[in-house]
Amino acid sequence: MRIGIDLGGTKIEAVALDQCGETLFRKRVNTPQGDYAATLDAICALVQEADQILGSRGSVGVGIPGTISPSTGLVKNANSTCLIGNPLDQDLSERLERPVRCANDANCFALSEATDGAAAGAGSVFGVILGTGVGGGLVINGQIVCGPNSITGEWGHNPLPWPNNSESSAAPCYCGQTGCIETWLSGPALSRQYQKLSGLDLSADQIWKLVRDNDPLAQAISQQYYRRLAKSLASVINVIDPEVIVLGGGLSNESSLYEAVPALWGEYVFSDSVATRLVPAQFGDASGVRGAAWLWPQTPVKA
């Protein structure tokens, strides 16, 4: 049994998978806000409940909104700031009396889809999160690629490539830089762009509905979004050349992306043709927690 934990800003989800990836246990609880000790308690309670119900001590993988620093062993780059500077994997391991593996939540998403999801069987998979933020993860031959700085896949914190005149006025990013891809392609960024032109504060979902309803302004903004996403993914293809790019996060639910973006990215990819496939995630918002479980490729010994 493999247990996966998805540690999000508002909820903590646990899942237990059998050897074939079938779900044996699944539960969500609210994330304690700004409280590291209470977060540990919540994770441990979920793991112990899964152990008890299923009669087995499962391996534990945790997807986090940040990463473990290779130099310090402490959490860094987490938007759940109470995690930063803490040895999360070590603390959980001591409490649960077993090894615990932690990975960035986008890496877990990519691993899930590469293992038994939309990109199963592909040798190289780039997983993309398009939501409140813009993240990514790279899986090669079934293994997450982390890199020596543990930041592989952080394409959202590169500048938007090939900017045109309308993109010369770039917004600041929380990372401290200006004009990051995240400031153009995240859900809040799409809302800001619409509000700037219309004066209306709408969610990304509401804007995509207007696109489907043939609203002229929403359609114009969607065309900008398609091209910005195409340019940004083309820069990834030029460096990594993945077989499959899988989209996840709230904005990935817009079906028009999967035809519009590949129709544009050939203008920017350094090749006479582009064989990379762009696909939606098979497991939706469950991919992150499933990928956390798959951080342990071998089934543990039954207790």
Side-chain angles (χ1 to χ4, degrees), residues 111-190:
L111 180 61
S112 169
E113 294 297 327
T115 299
D116 62 348
S124 55
V125 179
F126 191 71
V128 166
I129 302 295
L130 295 173
T132 304
V134 172
L138 177 63
V139 174
I140 302 293
N141 296 328
Q143 300 293 317
I144 293 173
V145 179
C146 289
N149 304 300
S150 197
I151 57 169
T152 299
E154 291 290 2
W155 71 303
H157 292 285
N158 287 322
L160 184 74
W162 302 287
N164 58 36
N165 290 336
S166 68
E167 294 157 350
S168 59
S169 178
C173 182
Y174 80 90
C175 73
Q177 302 298 327
T178 300
C180 291
I181 287 170
E182 182 166 305
T183 67
W184 296 103
L185 296 181
S186 67
L190 185 62

Side-chain angles (χ1 to χ4, degrees), residues 14-27:
V15 70
L17 305 180
D18 67 11
Q19 294 184 38
C20 299
E22 295 298 320
T23 300
L24 304 173
F25 169 89
R26 187 174 184 183
K27 185 174 181 178

